[in-house]
């Protein structure tokens, strides 16, 4: 750059004046690297007066601890490209000026300046003669510490921010992973739950089936047990009805014989022979005895037939066709009576039945199942009575919204250690073939199904009382919930 205007070159004092008036710290050197100008701003910022500098080659001194070329020296030496790498590094941001050809810029930190050190920005340009030859160089500097520290702060904040972003990204990724893991676990747990549920439903179904089968087998077992008794009960009346029938047959034969004789006499009223035949027939048959005996036989037979009919009816009642499990309003006393009738043969030789029936309303239940429970309890009671003739009392009453049936016996009682086990399936103290151990466990199940209960009180050697509680109105599962 041509520092001096072509028209009217400035004189040396004018140039010095211009230099000193410039508010930017600046200095100039000549082709021998000697300082020609060192302005007031330079004096001020670097603290060295121009008098000490002008005419020396000490331009490095305010900045460096050892002698080395500054930018202006490199320009004057014309060795910029070759040596710049030795003195300026990446951090120093050495670069060519985009505005002035041949000018260069750099910035550096000087730790020993201004107490805490200073960032200085240098910009140097060649001074050329009119012919274009480099005759010196001018260098200006700027204190950019404030910008630099702001820039550094900004960079640090930027770095901090980036670090934070990285950290947050990591945290987010971790949280995300954890969430995904949680989700995986939850999905797995849900699948497991569904599987368990299916398993449970299956087990439940099998259990219901097994219970249904148990119930059926206990029913068959008790029917088997009862069959003999029922056969006996029926056989007895059938026996005497049959024998009455034979007697009545001979009576009718005799009566018909007399009737024949009468008819003969009627056709020929004067026949002596017919008259004798009639007398003989009447003498043969003790007509007076027949007159008494026939009604007696008839009524006895009728009574027998009625008993058979009653037993058949009770059997039907007992095993009512509510196997489809239909809840019905039933008269429990009728059910108990039918049941007693059927098991009569099991009881009548061992105990008297005492009925203390209260005033019961109809009860919504599965009647044949309740009959089965009563039968189990009554037969168990009869089995418990050994030796001396005993008593089985059946007491019914309404308690709150329930009805209560007590079946009390004067049997041998239950050993205390067995009381907690009698409702277990297959628990029996009876010899093989006599007890299945299922009666009470099934009774328990039936009472549960009715939302009722079955309880026991027993004194060894004195007797046992079973108490059934049954809601009058059945509430289905849905109604309950
Ligand atoms: N009234 C009772 N008196 C004494 N013991 C009883 C009575 N009822 C039940 N038990 C005891 O409970 C056991 C289980 O009864 P249960 O389940 O009906 O089966 P099982 O009658 O086939 O033995 C009986 O074997 C008996 O020991
Ligand atoms: Mg039993």
């Amino acid at each position: 750059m041509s520092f001096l205007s072509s028209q009217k070159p400035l004189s040396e004092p004018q140039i010095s004046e211009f230099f000193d008036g410039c508010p930017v710290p600046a200095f100039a050197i000549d082709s021998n690297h000697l300082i020609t100008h060192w302005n007031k701003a330079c004096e001020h910022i670097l603290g060295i007066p121009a008098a000490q500098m002008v005419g020396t080659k000490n331009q490095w001194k305010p900045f460096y601890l050892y002698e080395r070329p500054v930018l202006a020296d490199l320009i004057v030496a014309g060795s910029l490209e070759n040596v710049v790498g030795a003195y300026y590094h990446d951090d120093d941001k050495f670069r060519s000026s985009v505005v002035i050809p041949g000018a260069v810029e750099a910035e550096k930190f000087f730790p020993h300046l201004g107490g805490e050190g200073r960032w200085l920005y240098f910009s140097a340009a060649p001074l050329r003669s009119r012919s274009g030859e480099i005759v010196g160089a001018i260098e200006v500097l700027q204190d950019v510490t404030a910008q630099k520290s702001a820039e550094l702060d900004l960079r640090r904040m930027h770095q901090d921010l980036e670090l934070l972003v990285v950290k947050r990204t990591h945290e987010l990724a971790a949280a995300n992973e954890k969430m995904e893991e949680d989700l995986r676990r939850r999905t797995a747990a849900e699948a497991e739950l569904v599987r368990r549920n299916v398993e449970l439903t299956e087990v439940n179904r099998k259990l219901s089936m097994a219970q249904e089968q148990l119930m059926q087998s206990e029913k068959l077992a008790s029917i088997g047990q009862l069959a003999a008794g029922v056969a006996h009960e029926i056989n007895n009346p059938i026996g005497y009805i049959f024998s009455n029938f034979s007697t009545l047959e001979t009576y009718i034969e005799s009566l018909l014989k007399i009737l024949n004789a009468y008819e003969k006499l009627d056709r020929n009223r004067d026949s002596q022979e017919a008259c004798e035949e009639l007398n003989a027939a009447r003498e043969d048959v003790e007509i007076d005895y027949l007159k008494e005996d026939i009604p007696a036989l008839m009524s006895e037979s009728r009574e027998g037939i009625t008993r058979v009919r009653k037993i058949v009816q009770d059997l039907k009642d007992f095993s009512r066709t509510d196997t489809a499990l239909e809840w019905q309003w039933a008269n429990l006393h009728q059910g108990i009576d039918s049941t007693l009738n059927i098991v009569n043969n099991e009881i009548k030789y061992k105990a008297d039945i005492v009925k203390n029936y209260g005033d019961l309303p109809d009860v919504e239940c599965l009647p044949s199942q309740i009959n089965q429970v009563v039968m189990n309890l009554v037969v168990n009671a009869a089995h418990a009575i050994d030796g001396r003739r005993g008593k089985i009392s059946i007491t019914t009453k309404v308690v709150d919204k329930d009805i209560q049936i007590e079946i009390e016996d004067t049997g041998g009682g239950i050993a205390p250690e067995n009381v907690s086990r009698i409702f277990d399936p297959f628990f029996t103290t009876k010899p093989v073939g006599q007890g299945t151990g299922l009666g009470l466990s099934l009774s328990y199940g039936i009472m549960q199904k009715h939302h009722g209960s079955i309880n026991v009180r027993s004194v060894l050697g004195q007797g046992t009382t079973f108490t059934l509680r049954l809601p009058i109105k059945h509430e289905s599962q849905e109604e309950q919930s």
Side-chain angles (χ1 to χ4, degrees), residues 218 376 379-380 383 430 436-440:
E218 163 70 11
N376 286 337
V379 170
N380 278 348
H383 284 171
K430 296 169 192 172
T436 61
L438 286 174
L440 285 181

Side-chain angles (χ1 to χ4, degrees), residues 120-372:
L120 296 179
Y121 165 79
F122 300 97
S123 173
L127 293 171
R128 292 178 198 277
S129 69
R130 225 165 270 234
S131 56
E133 192 184 343
I134 295 179
V135 293
I138 179 170
E139 184 160 343
V140 298
L141 44 119
Q142 220 176 318
D143 185 347
V144 292
T145 309
Q147 284 109 294
K148 214 55 198 181
S149 82
E151 192 188 310
L152 280 178
D153 280 354
L154 204 74
R155 196 180 305 158
R156 207 170 301 127
M157 267 159 66
H158 190 77
Q159 276 173 353
D160 284 356
L161 206 72
E162 268 183 354
L163 274 178
L164 200 71
V165 167
V166 168
K167 193 170 149 232
R168 283 284 147 83
T169 310
H170 273 303
E171 282 173 5
L172 258 172
N176 208 17
E177 201 161 302
K178 190 170 171 309
M179 231 166 74
E180 272 173 12
E181 177 61 22
D182 280 358
L183 199 76
R184 262 198 300 279
R185 282 215 200 108
R186 242 190 38 203
T187 317
E190 261 170 27
E192 176 67 8
L193 217 86
V194 169
R195 197 181 61 76
R196 290 259 171 88
N197 207 13
V198 168
E199 252 177 40
L200 261 175
T201 314
E202 177 60 16
V203 168
N204 212 10
R205 196 184 60 80
K206 281 190 185 149
L207 251 170
S208 302
M209 240 165 71
Q211 198 187 2
E212 207 63 40
Q213 272 171 3
L214 272 182
M215 198 119 141
Q216 203 55 33
S217 58
E218 163 70 11
K219 206 164 179 172
L220 285 178
S222 44
I223 284 175
Q225 220 175 26
L226 291 180
V230 170
H232 181 83
E233 289 290 300
I234 292 179
N235 211 27
N236 195 21
I238 295 273
Y240 64 75
I241 292 167
F242 192 75
S243 115
N244 288 359
F245 213 76
S246 316
T247 314
L248 282 170
E249 233 171 17
T250 58
Y251 287 176
I252 287 168
E253 229 169 77
S254 311
L255 288 174
L256 284 178
K257 216 188 258 175
I258 294 173
L259 197 64
N260 272 342
Y262 269 120
E263 275 175 350
K264 222 177 199 173
L265 192 63
D266 193 35
R267 277 194 300 269
N268 188 356
R269 288 181 185 235
D270 302 328
S271 163
Q272 186 61 36
E273 193 196 328
C275 212
E276 277 165 13
E277 236 176 73
L278 175 64
N279 281 336
R282 286 189 61 161
E283 265 165 36
D284 241 8
V285 180
E286 293 174 60
I287 195 90
D288 290 334
Y289 178 69
L290 286 200
K291 272 188 194 158
E292 259 175 47
D293 202 26
I294 286 177
L297 288 179
M298 290 295 268
S299 110
E300 192 184 57
S301 302
R302 177 179 292 275
E303 190 204 345
I305 289 168
T306 310
R307 265 181 66 187
V308 170
R309 196 162 75 170
K310 177 91 177 76
I311 289 168
V312 170
Q313 185 56 47
D314 287 343
L315 263 179
K316 262 163 96 183
D317 277 358
F318 177 76
S319 60
R320 271 165 100 135
T321 49
D322 58 0
T323 38
L325 291 191
E326 267 195 39
W327 294 84
Q328 303 173 12
W329 290 95
N331 179 328
L332 286 189
H333 289 153
Q334 246 171 38
I336 297 172
D337 287 344
S338 300
T339 306
L340 287 176
N341 235 335
I342 291 168
V343 295
N344 190 31
N345 199 57
E346 298 268 336
I347 302 167
K348 65 180 173 199
Y349 304 111
K350 296 185 138 190
D352 298 315
I353 298 272
V354 179
K355 297 179 189 173
N356 306 310
Y357 286 176
D359 200 6
L360 287 195
D362 279 1
V363 172
E364 194 180 18
C365 62
L366 300 167
S368 78
Q369 297 206 345
I370 300 298
N371 290 348
Q372 173 122 29

Side-chain angles (χ1 to χ4, degrees), residues 380-381 384 409 413-414 422 427-430 435-441 464 466:
N380 278 348
D409 65 59
I414 304 169
I422 55 172
F427 175 79
T428 180
T429 54
K430 296 169 192 172
T436 61
L438 286 174
L440 285 181
S441 112
T464 305
F466 279 90

Side-chain angles (χ1 to χ4, degrees), residues 329-337 356-365 370 374 394-406 468-472:
W329 290 95
N331 179 328
L332 286 189
H333 289 153
Q334 246 171 38
I336 297 172
D337 287 344
N356 306 310
Y357 286 176
D359 200 6
L360 287 195
D362 279 1
V363 172
E364 194 180 18
C365 62
I370 300 298
V374 171
I394 303 179
T395 309
T396 65
K397 57 181 150 202
V398 177
V399 179
D400 299 330
K401 283 184 172 172
D402 295 343
I403 63 98
Q404 183 172 299
I405 306 172
E406 267 180 3
L468 304 176
R469 286 279 290 245
L470 204 61
I472 293 171

